[in-house]
């Protein structure tokens, strides 16, 4: 099988790193080789965060080359634009409809780009807008945005939903398993 | 068993499987998870050292006892530990002694880029470079064997991308190593000149043996591809090169010091064109070129070696950069937009914020140090002028004062975290007192080592492995260094903070302020979020100067607002608002 490249981006604290783990572990549970890369440290304190996940028969580099991501899963609208050059010309984009204001914007030094999602959509045919927060709240907790987005991603990939569900159940707190199952399904339902 | 592990987790697992007995290290990104994971194994004695020099010396002592010992650190940590490293290179290792250096190309969280393979060359000890998590595990094990076999410390060199990437790893079981016991051997273990002169001869002989070993070392390997292009590479660069040049022939080196000269020249002669692909410095390239002359007296390779003439020295290497320099990267049709940057910031409710707000307001020159609080340099706090290295804040303030006179001391403050103070700030403070400084030091005591992910330290009362420990109290410690003017303050109280700073800078003699309030992420004393009363808010924007991520300005309404998802109710902003517009309703 040819290698599948998934880039996940967002803001420190949103759960980008855990999402990357779950994707890679689902791929491994489905019999593939997988690698994942991310950088810790400064990135955890509200900075821009990115994680690369690759799976297939045999993976060398843990980093995706620019222009070779099959899917970008973005947790934040503006961060999508920061990494868009990684996407393949015919790649898919999943954007969580949420804006996190950077300090320069909060203090009035810079502007949050207007109509950013509209501009991106003009470029990328296959764009899914996912109201992650609203769906997560419906499933039972705003904290499950992560899982909603994984559901939306799962729809684009050929990994079996039950594999996803079992990895998610293993990785989330025991009390929240049912809630996360629901969150995953509601994300999976997004087109 | 198959596991999905980061390079750091795999090194910890490998060391455990090798029967490591003693581990001592100071946290530093990207190395920290090695220590944290080793701390979880009950069979091992693992500790948080006060600094990297201490870590390596404790490991050296354990090696004297015939135990297997490991220390790990980030690249700049090895600068701190360089002194014992060079001596241990002479003394050698009774029990396996492994030093892990996690370098940070790209400076994801470091003050410089440095290629620590040069430390192996300079100390004349072997350097092993794994290229993924599986090799991290295997080479961590192997490093102990090599160390004992050749009577030498071994440098296991990782980079951020190896440390923090995950891959599938086949794990094994632990083989217990019984410490063989201490044996008195002064000629081996005491580095007085008379002994050391003999040791140096031994070290040179050892290097020759290691180079010979490298010729047949199974992790130095040739992967035959097309004859047209041959690539010599190591570490993570191997993975990038494999993706960009899948058809090429490879010589993948894992023992990168000393190099297998014959193997390299045979490989070079077996291909038409030759690239040396490595990140940052020309470590391999330089040696390979020099070895060419060693072989024949004039250059033995009758072909050009392409390396750093094309591949950038500065910054992290990645497959895109590599493809670009060789003209193999398609241009993206997508034109990047101009976007506001999103650098990391101090967390909402961070106790450091109040101190930086006060320092900025008082327009003081601030010498800074390494930790979360380095973020005090960012907009809108802008409260930091210099950062050199761990512990450098105290002594840099001292230098400013000695160059410009005591008036400068009244305009200067050094800030340093509690963990950094124990690491190497205390020696600077001793120097200040001893050499009659008028300066001020603020110890930002948030009761934890926060930047690297919240490790304990000598001030917190817990060891790495969760045992109770005596708390080293900062106040009596600082007083016993001879500082007379010592104040304990709560940095969440802005008035108290400002007053204390003014007093300290005007005080003749060295002064210390201990600004104590636990890091918000460990204390979790979250209170209800504040709200802005829009009738009271006049849009003066004073609260925005705090730089709390929870506060932003609504341009249309011309009022500040607080994000209830982010605010943790520390109330620092409320104490700042001239109209009392921020409160609980
Ligand atoms: S982790 Fe703790 S010390 Fe660091 S910025 Fe956040 S609150 Fe402050
Ligand atoms: S109380 Fe004010 S300063 Fe503290 S976290 Fe909330 S908004 Fe930020």
């Amino acid at each position: 099988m040819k290698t599948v490249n998934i880039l996940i981006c967002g803001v420190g604290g949103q759960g980008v790193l855990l999402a990357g783990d779950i994707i890679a572990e689902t791929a491994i549970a489905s019999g593939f080789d997988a690698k994942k890369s991310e950088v810790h440290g400064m990135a955890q304190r509200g900075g821009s965060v990115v994680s690369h996940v690759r799976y297939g028969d045999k993976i060398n580099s843990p980093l995706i080359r620019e222009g070779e991501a099959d899917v970008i899963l973005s947790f934040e609208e503006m961060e999508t634009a920061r990494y868009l050059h990684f996407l393949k010309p015919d790649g898919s984009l999943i954007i969580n409809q949420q804006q996190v204001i950077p300090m320069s914007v909060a203090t009035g030094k810079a502007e949050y780009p207007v109509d950013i999602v509209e501009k991106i959509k003009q470029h990328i045919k296959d764009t899914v807008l996912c109201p992650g927060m609203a769906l997560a709240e419906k499933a039972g907790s705003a904290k499950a945005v992560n899982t909603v987005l994984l559901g939306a991603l799962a729809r684009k990939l050929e990994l079996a939903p039950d594999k996803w569900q079992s990895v998610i159940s293993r990785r989330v707190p025991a009390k929240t398993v049912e809630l996360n199952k629901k969150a995953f399904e509601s994300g999976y339902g997004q087109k | 068993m198959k596991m999905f592990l980061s390079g750091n987790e795999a090194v910890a697992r490998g060391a455990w499987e090798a029967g490591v007995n003693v581990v001592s290290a100071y946290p530093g990104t990207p190395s920290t998870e090695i220590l944290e994971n080793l701390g979880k194994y009950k069979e091992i004695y693992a500790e948080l050292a006060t600094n990297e020099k201490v870590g390596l010396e404790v490991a050296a002592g354990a090696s004297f006892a015939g135990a297997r010992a490991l220390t790990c650190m980030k690249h700049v940590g090895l600068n701190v530990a360089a002194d014992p490293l060079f001596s241990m290179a002479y003394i050698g290792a009774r029990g396996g002694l492994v030093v892990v250096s996690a370098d940070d190309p790209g400076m994801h969280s470091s003050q410089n880029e440095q290629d620590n393979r040069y430390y192996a060359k300079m100390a004349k000890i072997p350097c092993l470079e794994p290229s993924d998590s599986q090799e991290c595990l295997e080479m961590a094990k192997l490093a102990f064997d090599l160390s004992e076999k050749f009577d030498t410390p071994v440098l296991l060199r990782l980079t951020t991308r190896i440390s923090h990437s995950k891959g599938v790893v086949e794990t094994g079981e632990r083989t217990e190593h019984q410490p063989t016991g201490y044996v008195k051997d002064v000629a081996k273990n005491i580095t007085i000149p008379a002994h050391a002169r003999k040791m140096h001869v031994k070290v040179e002989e050892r290097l020759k043996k290691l180079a010979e070993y490298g010729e047949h070392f199974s992790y130095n390997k040739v992967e035959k591809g097309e004859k047209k292009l041959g690539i010599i590479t190591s570490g993570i660069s191997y993975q990038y090169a494999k993706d960009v040049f899948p058809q090429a022939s490879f010589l993948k080196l894992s023992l990168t010091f000393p190099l297998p000269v014959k193997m390299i020249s045979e490989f070079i002669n077996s291909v038409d064109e030759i690239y040396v692909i490595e990140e940052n410095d020309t470590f391999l390239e330089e040696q390979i070129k020099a070895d060419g002359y060693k072989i024949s007296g004039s250059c033995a390779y009758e072909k050009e070696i392409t390396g750093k003439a094309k591949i950038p020295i500065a910054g992290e290497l990645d497959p895109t950069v590599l493809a670009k320099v060789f003209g193999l990267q398609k241009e993206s049709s997508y034109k990047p937009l101009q976007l506001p940057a999103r650098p990391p910031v101090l967390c909402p409710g961070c106790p450091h914020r109040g101190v930086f707000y006060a320092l900025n307001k008082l327009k003081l020159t601030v010498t800074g140090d390494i930790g979360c609080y380095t973020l005090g340099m960012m907009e809108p706090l802008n409260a930091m002028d210099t950062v050199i290295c761990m512990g450098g804040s105290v002594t840099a303030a001292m230098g400013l004062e000695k160059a410009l006179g005591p008036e400068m001391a009244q305009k200067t403050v050094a800030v340093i975290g509690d963990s950094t103070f124990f690491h190497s700030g205390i020696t600077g403070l001793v120097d200040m007192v001893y050499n009659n400084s008028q300066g001020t030091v603020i110890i930002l005591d948030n009761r934890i080592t926060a930047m690297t992910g919240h490790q304990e330290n000598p001030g917190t009362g817990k060891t790495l492995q969760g045992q109770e420990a005596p708390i080293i109290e900062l106040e009596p410690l600082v007083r016993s260094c001879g500082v007379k003017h010592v104040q304990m303050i709560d940095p969440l109280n802005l008035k108290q903070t400002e007053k204390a700073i003014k007093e300290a800078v005007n005080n003749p003699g060295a002064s210390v302020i201990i600004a104590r309030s636990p890091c918000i992420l460990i204390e979790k004393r979250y209170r209800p979020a504040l709200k802005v009363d829009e009738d009271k808010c006049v849009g003066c924007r004073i609260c925005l100067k705090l730089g709390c991520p929870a506060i932003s300005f609504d341009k249309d309404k011309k009022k500040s607002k607080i994000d209830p998802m982010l605010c943790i109710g520390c109330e620092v902003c409320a104490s700042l608002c001239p109209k009392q517009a921020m409160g609980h309703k």
Side-chain angles (χ1 to χ4, degrees), chain B residues 250-279:
Chain B
F250 278 81
L251 172 57
K252 173 177 178 292
L253 296 169
S254 297
L255 181 63
T256 50
F257 188 79
L259 283 183
V261 174
K262 273 184 252 131
M263 192 177 196
I264 290 170
S265 73
E266 270 168 35
F267 180 73
I268 292 178
N269 289 329
S270 74
V271 292
D272 299 340
E273 207 181 345
I274 192 88
Y275 295 170
V276 175
I277 296 180
E278 60 189 324
E279 203 170 31

Short mmCIF file of all heavy atoms in Angstrom, two decimals, chain B residues 250-279:
data_model
loop_
_atom_site.label_atom_id
_atom_site.label_comp_id
_atom_site.label_asym_id
_atom_site.label_seq_id
_atom_site.Cartn_x
_atom_site.Cartn_y
_atom_site.Cartn_z
N PHE B 250 23.31 3.23 -0.19
CA PHE B 250 23.54 3.91 1.10
C PHE B 250 24.65 3.26 1.90
O PHE B 250 24.76 2.03 1.94
CB PHE B 250 22.25 3.85 1.94
CG PHE B 250 21.26 4.91 1.58
CD1 PHE B 250 20.43 4.75 0.49
CD2 PHE B 250 21.17 6.08 2.32
CE1 PHE B 250 19.52 5.74 0.14
CE2 PHE B 250 20.26 7.08 1.98
CZ PHE B 250 19.44 6.91 0.88
N LEU B 251 25.45 4.11 2.54
CA LEU B 251 26.28 3.65 3.65
C LEU B 251 25.73 4.34 4.88
O LEU B 251 25.88 5.55 5.06
CB LEU B 251 27.76 4.00 3.44
CG LEU B 251 28.66 3.72 4.65
CD1 LEU B 251 28.59 2.26 5.08
CD2 LEU B 251 30.12 4.09 4.35
N LYS B 252 25.05 3.57 5.70
CA LYS B 252 24.43 4.13 6.90
C LYS B 252 25.36 3.87 8.08
O LYS B 252 25.63 2.73 8.44
CB LYS B 252 23.09 3.44 7.14
CG LYS B 252 22.44 3.82 8.44
CD LYS B 252 21.08 3.14 8.54
CE LYS B 252 20.41 3.46 9.85
NZ LYS B 252 21.10 2.86 10.99
N LEU B 253 25.86 4.95 8.66
CA LEU B 253 26.79 4.82 9.77
C LEU B 253 26.07 4.99 11.10
O LEU B 253 25.26 5.90 11.26
CB LEU B 253 27.90 5.87 9.65
CG LEU B 253 28.79 5.73 8.42
CD1 LEU B 253 29.67 6.95 8.25
CD2 LEU B 253 29.63 4.46 8.52
N SER B 254 26.35 4.11 12.04
CA SER B 254 25.76 4.23 13.38
C SER B 254 26.83 4.50 14.41
O SER B 254 26.57 5.14 15.42
CB SER B 254 25.02 2.95 13.74
OG SER B 254 23.95 2.76 12.85
N LEU B 255 28.06 4.00 14.17
CA LEU B 255 29.19 4.39 15.00
C LEU B 255 29.86 5.51 14.22
O LEU B 255 30.57 5.26 13.25
CB LEU B 255 30.14 3.20 15.20
CG LEU B 255 31.37 3.43 16.09
CD1 LEU B 255 30.98 3.77 17.51
CD2 LEU B 255 32.29 2.22 16.09
N THR B 256 29.61 6.75 14.62
CA THR B 256 30.09 7.87 13.79
C THR B 256 31.38 8.47 14.34
O THR B 256 31.92 9.40 13.77
CB THR B 256 29.01 8.96 13.64
OG1 THR B 256 28.50 9.28 14.92
CG2 THR B 256 27.90 8.49 12.74
N PHE B 257 31.87 7.94 15.45
CA PHE B 257 33.22 8.21 15.86
C PHE B 257 33.71 7.04 16.69
O PHE B 257 33.02 6.64 17.61
CB PHE B 257 33.35 9.51 16.67
CG PHE B 257 34.79 9.85 16.92
CD1 PHE B 257 35.56 10.43 15.92
CD2 PHE B 257 35.41 9.52 18.13
CE1 PHE B 257 36.90 10.69 16.12
CE2 PHE B 257 36.76 9.78 18.32
CZ PHE B 257 37.50 10.37 17.32
N PRO B 258 34.89 6.49 16.41
CA PRO B 258 35.70 6.75 15.23
C PRO B 258 35.11 6.10 13.98
O PRO B 258 34.36 5.13 14.10
CB PRO B 258 37.03 6.11 15.60
CG PRO B 258 36.69 5.02 16.57
CD PRO B 258 35.49 5.48 17.32
N LEU B 259 35.45 6.61 12.81
CA LEU B 259 34.84 6.11 11.57
C LEU B 259 35.58 4.91 10.99
O LEU B 259 36.80 4.80 11.12
CB LEU B 259 34.83 7.23 10.52
CG LEU B 259 33.77 8.31 10.69
CD1 LEU B 259 33.86 9.30 9.54
CD2 LEU B 259 32.37 7.74 10.77
N PRO B 260 34.85 4.03 10.31
CA PRO B 260 35.47 2.89 9.62
C PRO B 260 36.04 3.32 8.27
O PRO B 260 35.34 3.35 7.27
CB PRO B 260 34.29 1.92 9.43
CG PRO B 260 33.09 2.80 9.37
CD PRO B 260 33.39 4.04 10.16
N VAL B 261 37.33 3.63 8.27
CA VAL B 261 37.96 4.25 7.10
C VAL B 261 37.91 3.36 5.86
O VAL B 261 37.57 3.80 4.76
CB VAL B 261 39.43 4.61 7.45
CG1 VAL B 261 40.16 5.12 6.23
CG2 VAL B 261 39.46 5.62 8.57
N LYS B 262 38.20 2.06 6.06
CA LYS B 262 38.23 1.15 4.89
C LYS B 262 36.85 1.00 4.29
O LYS B 262 36.66 1.05 3.08
CB LYS B 262 38.77 -0.23 5.31
CG LYS B 262 40.30 -0.29 5.24
CD LYS B 262 40.78 -1.69 5.57
CE LYS B 262 41.44 -1.70 6.92
NZ LYS B 262 41.11 -2.67 7.90
N MET B 263 35.89 0.80 5.17
CA MET B 263 34.51 0.62 4.72
C MET B 263 34.06 1.84 3.89
O MET B 263 33.43 1.69 2.84
CB MET B 263 33.63 0.48 5.96
CG MET B 263 32.25 0.00 5.70
SD MET B 263 31.40 -0.20 7.29
CE MET B 263 30.03 -1.18 6.76
N ILE B 264 34.41 3.00 4.37
CA ILE B 264 34.00 4.22 3.68
C ILE B 264 34.68 4.35 2.32
O ILE B 264 34.03 4.63 1.30
CB ILE B 264 34.30 5.46 4.55
CG1 ILE B 264 33.34 5.48 5.76
CG2 ILE B 264 34.16 6.76 3.76
CD1 ILE B 264 33.67 6.51 6.81
N SER B 265 35.99 4.06 2.27
CA SER B 265 36.66 4.25 0.98
C SER B 265 36.19 3.20 -0.03
O SER B 265 36.01 3.50 -1.21
CB SER B 265 38.18 4.27 1.14
OG SER B 265 38.64 2.99 1.41
N GLU B 266 35.90 2.00 0.44
CA GLU B 266 35.35 0.98 -0.48
C GLU B 266 33.99 1.43 -1.02
O GLU B 266 33.72 1.28 -2.21
CB GLU B 266 35.16 -0.35 0.26
CG GLU B 266 36.39 -1.25 0.18
CD GLU B 266 36.29 -2.42 1.15
OE1 GLU B 266 35.15 -2.93 1.36
OE2 GLU B 266 37.34 -2.80 1.71
N PHE B 267 33.20 1.97 -0.13
CA PHE B 267 31.87 2.41 -0.58
C PHE B 267 32.00 3.53 -1.60
O PHE B 267 31.35 3.52 -2.65
CB PHE B 267 31.04 2.88 0.62
CG PHE B 267 29.66 3.36 0.24
CD1 PHE B 267 28.67 2.46 -0.13
CD2 PHE B 267 29.35 4.72 0.23
CE1 PHE B 267 27.40 2.89 -0.50
CE2 PHE B 267 28.10 5.17 -0.14
CZ PHE B 267 27.11 4.25 -0.51
N ILE B 268 32.86 4.49 -1.31
CA ILE B 268 33.03 5.62 -2.22
C ILE B 268 33.49 5.12 -3.59
O ILE B 268 33.03 5.58 -4.63
CB ILE B 268 34.03 6.65 -1.63
CG1 ILE B 268 33.39 7.33 -0.41
CG2 ILE B 268 34.42 7.70 -2.68
CD1 ILE B 268 34.26 8.34 0.29
N ASN B 269 34.38 4.13 -3.58
CA ASN B 269 34.89 3.61 -4.86
C ASN B 269 33.87 2.75 -5.60
O ASN B 269 34.04 2.47 -6.77
CB ASN B 269 36.19 2.83 -4.62
CG ASN B 269 37.32 3.77 -4.25
OD1 ASN B 269 37.35 4.92 -4.69
ND2 ASN B 269 38.24 3.30 -3.42
N SER B 270 32.81 2.35 -4.92
CA SER B 270 31.83 1.47 -5.57
C SER B 270 30.72 2.24 -6.27
O SER B 270 29.85 1.65 -6.89
CB SER B 270 31.23 0.51 -4.54
OG SER B 270 30.32 1.21 -3.72
N VAL B 271 30.70 3.56 -6.12
CA VAL B 271 29.62 4.35 -6.74
C VAL B 271 30.21 5.48 -7.58
O VAL B 271 31.39 5.81 -7.46
CB VAL B 271 28.67 4.94 -5.67
CG1 VAL B 271 27.87 3.85 -4.98
CG2 VAL B 271 29.44 5.77 -4.65
N ASP B 272 29.35 6.07 -8.42
CA ASP B 272 29.85 7.13 -9.31
C ASP B 272 29.91 8.48 -8.59
O ASP B 272 30.92 9.17 -8.61
CB ASP B 272 28.94 7.28 -10.54
CG ASP B 272 28.92 5.99 -11.35
OD1 ASP B 272 29.87 5.19 -11.18
OD2 ASP B 272 27.96 5.77 -12.13
N GLU B 273 28.78 8.84 -8.00
CA GLU B 273 28.73 10.15 -7.37
C GLU B 273 28.48 9.95 -5.88
O GLU B 273 27.81 8.99 -5.48
CB GLU B 273 27.58 10.95 -7.97
CG GLU B 273 27.81 12.44 -7.90
CD GLU B 273 26.63 13.22 -8.50
OE1 GLU B 273 25.80 12.61 -9.21
OE2 GLU B 273 26.55 14.41 -8.25
N ILE B 274 29.00 10.87 -5.03
CA ILE B 274 28.88 10.63 -3.60
C ILE B 274 28.36 11.87 -2.85
O ILE B 274 28.86 12.97 -3.03
CB ILE B 274 30.24 10.13 -3.04
CG1 ILE B 274 30.08 9.59 -1.63
CG2 ILE B 274 31.35 11.16 -3.09
CD1 ILE B 274 29.72 8.15 -1.62
N TYR B 275 27.30 11.66 -2.07
CA TYR B 275 26.77 12.72 -1.22
C TYR B 275 26.97 12.32 0.25
O TYR B 275 26.75 11.17 0.61
CB TYR B 275 25.25 12.89 -1.39
CG TYR B 275 24.76 13.37 -2.72
CD1 TYR B 275 23.39 13.34 -3.00
CD2 TYR B 275 25.63 13.85 -3.71
CE1 TYR B 275 22.90 13.78 -4.22
CE2 TYR B 275 25.14 14.28 -4.93
CZ TYR B 275 23.77 14.23 -5.19
OH TYR B 275 23.28 14.66 -6.39
N VAL B 276 27.38 13.29 1.07
CA VAL B 276 27.35 13.07 2.52
C VAL B 276 26.19 13.90 3.05
O VAL B 276 26.18 15.12 2.92
CB VAL B 276 28.67 13.51 3.18
CG1 VAL B 276 28.56 13.38 4.71
CG2 VAL B 276 29.82 12.66 2.67
N ILE B 277 25.18 13.23 3.59
CA ILE B 277 23.98 13.94 4.03
C ILE B 277 23.89 13.90 5.55
O ILE B 277 23.72 12.84 6.16
CB ILE B 277 22.72 13.34 3.37
CG1 ILE B 277 22.83 13.56 1.85
CG2 ILE B 277 21.45 13.99 3.93
CD1 ILE B 277 21.67 13.03 1.05
N GLU B 278 24.08 15.06 6.16
CA GLU B 278 24.00 15.16 7.62
C GLU B 278 23.44 16.53 8.01
O GLU B 278 23.50 17.48 7.24
CB GLU B 278 25.36 14.91 8.27
CG GLU B 278 26.44 15.89 7.85
CD GLU B 278 27.84 15.50 8.33
OE1 GLU B 278 27.97 14.97 9.43
OE2 GLU B 278 28.81 15.75 7.58
N GLU B 279 22.88 16.58 9.22
CA GLU B 279 22.23 17.77 9.73
C GLU B 279 23.27 18.66 10.44
O GLU B 279 24.19 18.15 11.07
CB GLU B 279 21.19 17.30 10.75
CG GLU B 279 20.07 18.22 11.02
CD GLU B 279 19.00 17.50 11.84
OE1 GLU B 279 19.32 16.60 12.64
OE2 GLU B 279 17.82 17.84 11.69
#
